[in-house]
């Protein structure tokens, strides 16, 4: 039997035992689910602080003068001294490490090697044992090793790569475990807003990290750039401990949640991981076209995003010649725009669905197209702005800002098509996405090696733009917002081999109920 369309779902039979009961909203304006959401938001912010601070710090750590030949100075000084980089009155000095752009690319990407390794294992373990401790302890490891970065750097770039790799291992659980907790705590009609708010923590962390890292690198203690890792490492450690002791796995084990909120969450999350935990339907997931549409969109997003996140400070230094303090601030502007647009677009997405004017499928595709085609166009335009810093930063801000649409697009789509297995699916798509993402700084490093010109950076931006377009188009064609029949709780009896062959009428009922569940998803 083919996958149900939303139109077919709407025509399915009457509601039955699988239908969620209509519960009134909790009386309290701020409930336990909001606290969980806020803590996950701070966790996501902390995670992105830990991965982006190196992008700004490495500009202050490297001795650029020692690496630049006379020929390169002539070839690459295309935009003059727009940022007073070589002004004798500037307090900025070169760093102590002579790392060329290739080595810088490996240092920046080493974090992601560790990050991708732990994605799938922790997604599976979180489904079986719960997500809270994997997330909290993992981020604690990430933060503690962040404190060791200055020591490792002075010991040699090999040690630095190892420490960043271990940080990546610790941060691996953040996305799959966050998705698993979202599936247990957030009702479907709040999913776009809450999900986008949590994942927008990535932009909040970037907005905080980049300018503050720039200031710390110039005015901080312990010689400047080491203070970046000491400050953020300490903050991350405090958050990790607070998360472990304040947050609970699901509503049913929370000792202080209001009864009306507990009923509201549980009865809204039909078939959620918090209610039942059946065996994972691996074959159905790995042969699902909507799953692969999300996976490819996620890969394209990470490649383009990681190109900007890890390379934008270097681009602003090499081409636009901003000093380190100005560099960190202006590098953060596009992510501030993305943070704002993600919040706006999430509210629009929930309105589109709740107003019944758009289905889940239509909403996800429209918002996601803005989120991936927008930055593709902006990157192409920004690569032809020449030596106009204001126009370049404006275009990049516009493009990265529109990229915020992905949080109400493919990013929460796992929860639409399979709320009970969303965490595991996210672990697979995020693993593949970060494998694509770790190629971004390496690719950029090779392209701009010994020739950091506008033409070389144009190639970097063009590649990212093309990846955005191709992957966004695949999602536009094959994505869906319909809950898949293999996530129907009634199908669990088939997994256990009960009534599979002796009651064909039961199978027909199950299919109808699967359609009905999809209908409920569309109607919310």
């Amino acid at each position: 039997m083919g996958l149900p369309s939303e139109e077919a779902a709407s025509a399915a039979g009457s509601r039955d035992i699988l239908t969620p009961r209509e519960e009134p909203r909790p009386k309290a304006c701020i409930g336990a689910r909001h606290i969980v959401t806020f803590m996950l938001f701070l966790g996501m912010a902390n995670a992105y602080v830990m991965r982006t601070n190196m992008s700004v710090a490495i500009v202050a750590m490297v001795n650029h003068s020692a690496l630049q030949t006379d020929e390169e100075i002539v070839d690459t000084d295309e935009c003059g001294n727009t940022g007073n980089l070589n002004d004798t009155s500037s307090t900025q000095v070169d760093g102590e490490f002579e790392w060329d752009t290739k080595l810088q690319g490996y240092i920046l990407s080493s974090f992601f090697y560790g990050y991708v390794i732990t994605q799938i294992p922790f997604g599976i373990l979180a489904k079986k044992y719960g997500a809270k401790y994997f997330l909290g302890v993992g981020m604690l490891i990430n933060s503690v090793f962040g404190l060791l970065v200055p020591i490792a750097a002075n010991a040699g770039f090999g040690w630095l790569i190892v420490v960043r790799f271990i940080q990546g291992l610790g941060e691996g659980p953040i996305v799959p475990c966050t998705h698993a907790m979202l599936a247990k705590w957030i009702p479907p009609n709040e999913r776009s807003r809450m999900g986008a708010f949590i994942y927008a923590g990535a932009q909040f962390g970037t907005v905080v990290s980049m300018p503050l890292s720039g200031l710390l690198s110039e005015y901080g203690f312990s010689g400047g750039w080491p203070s970046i890792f000491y400050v953020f490492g300490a903050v991350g450690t405090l958050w990790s401990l607070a998360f472990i002791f304040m947050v609970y796995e699901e509503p049913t084990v929370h000792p202080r949640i209001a009864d009306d909120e507990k009923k509201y969450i549980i009865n809204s999350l039909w078939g959620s991981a918090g209610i039942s935990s059946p065996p994972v339907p691996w074959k159905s997931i790995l042969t699902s076209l909507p799953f692969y549409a999300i996976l490819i969109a996620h890969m394209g997003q990470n490649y383009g995003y990681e190109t900007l996140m890890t390379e934008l400070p270097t681009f602003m230094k090499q081409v636009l010649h901003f000093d380190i303090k100005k560099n960190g601030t202006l590098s953060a502007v596009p992510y501030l725009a993305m943070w704002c647009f993600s919040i706006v677009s999430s509210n629009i997405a929930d309105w589109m669905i709740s107003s019944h004017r758009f289905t889940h499928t239509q909403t996800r595709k429209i918002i996601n197209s803005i989120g991936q085609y927008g930055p593709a166009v902006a990157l192409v335009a920004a690569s032809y702005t020449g030596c106009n810093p204001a126009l370049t930063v404006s275009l990049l801000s516009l493009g990265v800002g529109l990229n915020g649409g992905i949080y109400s697009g493919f990013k929460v789509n796992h929860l639409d098509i399979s709320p009970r297995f969303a965490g595991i699916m996210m672990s697979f798509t995020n693993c593949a996405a970060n494998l694509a993402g770790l190629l971004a700084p390496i690719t950029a490093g090779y392209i701009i090696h010994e020739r950091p010109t506008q033409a070389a950076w144009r190639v970097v931006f063009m590649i990212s733009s093309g990846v955005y377009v191709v992957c966004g188009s695949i999602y536009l064609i094959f994505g869906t917002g319909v809950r898949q029949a293999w996530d129907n709780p009634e199908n669990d009896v088939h997994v256990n081999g009960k009534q599979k062959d002796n009651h064909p009428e039961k199978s027909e009922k199950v299919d109808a109920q699967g359609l009905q569940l999809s209908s409920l998803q569309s109607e919310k």
Side-chain angles (χ1 to χ4, degrees):
M1 178 177 177
L3 296 175
S5 66
E6 287 174 276
E7 291 76 10
S10 299
S14 60
R15 296 188 176 190
D16 52 31
I17 191 171
L18 293 180
T19 304
R21 295 191 300 275
E22 295 293 336
E23 290 286 342
R25 282 183 172 273
K27 296 179 182 179
C29 295
I30 299 178
R33 70 191 189 284
H34 298 107
I35 301 299
V36 172
T37 298
F38 183 65
M39 288 299 292
L40 288 172
F41 163 80
L42 292 179
M44 195 63 63
N46 179 55
Y48 272 74
V49 163
M50 301 307 288
R51 71 167 69 179
T52 58
N53 54 19
M54 178 60 77
S55 300
V56 175
I58 202 168
V59 177
M61 295 167 72
V62 171
N63 189 328
H64 300 274
S65 299
L67 295 173
Q68 194 174 45
T69 65
D70 292 339
E71 181 180 354
E72 289 167 3
I73 293 173
V74 173
D75 291 342
T76 61
D77 193 20
E78 299 171 295
C79 293
N81 191 20
T82 61
N84 296 324
L85 184 66
N86 300 315
D87 195 325
T88 55
S89 64
S90 175
T91 59
Q92 180 183 340
V93 295
D94 270 330
E96 60 265 43
F97 303 108
E98 296 184 13
W99 299 332
D100 63 25
T101 55
K102 287 183 181 180
L103 181 54
Q104 290 177 51
Y106 284 115
I107 291 172
L108 291 171
S109 64
S110 60
F111 178 96
F112 299 98
Y113 286 103
Y115 183 69
V116 298
I117 289 175
T118 48
Q119 292 292 304
I120 295 175
F122 279 117
I124 296 172
L125 290 171
K127 181 71 174 68
K128 186 174 183 179
Y129 298 108
K132 169 187 168 179
Y133 287 104
F134 290 120
L135 197 163
V137 174
M139 288 303 297
L140 181 61
I141 292 171
N142 182 9
S143 301
V144 170
F145 273 83
L147 296 169
L148 300 178
V149 167
I151 299 173
N154 286 306
F157 69 84
W159 286 105
L160 177 58
I161 289 175
V162 170
V163 167
R164 290 292 290 173
F165 175 79
I166 295 174
Q167 282 191 274
L169 290 176
E171 191 167 313
I174 183 72
V175 172
C177 289
T178 293
H179 233 54
M181 295 195 73
L182 266 173
K184 297 176 183 180
W185 277 98
I186 309 303
N189 63 332
E190 299 178 357
R191 189 170 292 153
S192 293
R193 293 192 302 276
M194 298 289 206
F197 177 75
I198 290 172
Y199 285 110
Q203 279 64 60
F204 178 79
T206 305
V207 167
V208 169
S209 172
M210 285 190 165
L212 188 53
S213 294
L215 290 171
L216 287 172
S217 69
E218 186 161 343
Y219 303 116
F221 56 91
S222 295
W225 65 262
S227 63
I228 297 173
F229 301 99
Y230 294 140
V231 170
F232 290 133
V235 171
T237 300
L238 290 175
W239 175 87
S240 300
L241 295 173
F243 180 84
I244 291 171
F245 290 106
M246 290 178 58
V247 174
Y248 293 86
E249 184 69 32
E250 56 184 288
T252 56
V253 299
H254 197 300
R256 295 180 299 277
I257 188 173
D259 288 338
D260 60 343
E261 184 182 15
K262 183 187 294 186
K263 291 179 181 178
Y264 171 67
I265 295 171
I266 291 175
N267 291 328
S268 297
L269 293 174
W270 22 265
S272 72
I275 303 302
S276 61
S277 186
V280 180
W282 291 111
K283 181 178 179 181
S284 297
I285 291 175
L286 297 177
T287 56
S288 171
L289 194 58
F291 166 70
Y292 284 106
I294 296 172
L295 184 144
I296 292 171
H298 203 161
M299 290 177 69
Q301 161 63 21
N302 268 46
Y303 186 91
Y305 186 78
E306 297 298 344
T307 296
L308 288 169
M309 188 174 69
T310 60
E311 298 299 328
L312 194 54
T314 303
F315 168 74
M316 288 188 168
K317 178 180 178 65
Q318 290 181 343
V319 176
L320 302 182
H321 298 309
F322 289 118
D323 63 51
I324 184 64
K325 181 172 64 175
K326 192 179 295 184
N327 192 343
T329 302
L330 290 175
S331 294
V333 170
Y335 302 101
L336 177 62
M338 186 175 182
W339 181 33
C340 294
F341 185 71
S342 66
I343 301 301
V344 172
S345 62
S346 68
N347 282 276
I348 293 173
D350 273 347
W351 171 83
M352 291 169 70
I353 294 169
S354 61
S355 67
H356 305 292
R357 299 184 184 185
F358 298 88
T359 65
H360 270 66
T361 298
Q362 292 169 337
T363 300
R364 299 297 179 224
K365 289 184 176 182
I366 291 171
I367 300 296
N368 194 75
S369 294
I370 295 173
Q372 294 200 297
Y373 293 150
V377 173
L379 280 169
V380 173
S383 67
Y384 286 97
T385 53
C387 299
N388 189 328
L391 182 57
T392 302
V393 172
S394 297
L395 286 170
L396 289 173
S397 298
L398 175 63
V400 178
L402 292 176
N403 195 209
I406 59 101
Y407 293 115
S408 298
F410 80 81
K411 199 84 170 190
V412 295
N413 197 201
H414 311 72
L415 295 160
D416 294 329
I417 69 173
S418 178
R420 297 194 300 168
F421 307 109
I424 286 178
M425 291 169 55
M426 173 59 89
S427 71
F428 275 86
T429 66
N430 204 46
C431 178
N434 280 280
L435 285 172
L438 67 85
L439 293 175
I442 295 176
T443 302
Y446 271 92
I447 292 173
I448 64 176
H449 180 59
E450 296 184 351
R451 60 182 194 102
T453 62
Q454 290 189 54
W457 276 102
R458 184 175 299 126
V459 173
V460 173
F461 288 166
M462 287 291 188
I463 291 173
S464 297
S465 178
V467 171
Y468 268 131
V469 170
V470 171
C471 296
S473 298
I474 290 174
Y475 180 81
L476 186 62
I477 296 170
F478 298 109
T480 182
V482 175
R483 187 178 186 182
Q484 301 301 285
W486 43 265
D487 191 46
N488 185 347
E490 273 295 307
N491 286 334
D492 294 348
V493 296
H494 293 260
V495 174
N496 296 323
K498 298 177 182 179
Q499 299 180 336
K500 183 172 182 179
D501 300 318
N502 298 330
H503 299 277
E505 70 280 2
K506 179 69 173 178
S507 296
E508 294 174 1
K509 180 181 178 183
V510 167
D511 288 337
Q513 288 169 339
L515 292 173
Q516 176 63 20
L517 286 171
S518 297
S519 176
L520 294 174
Q521 172 91 18
S522 302
E523 292 169 1
K524 288 186 180 289

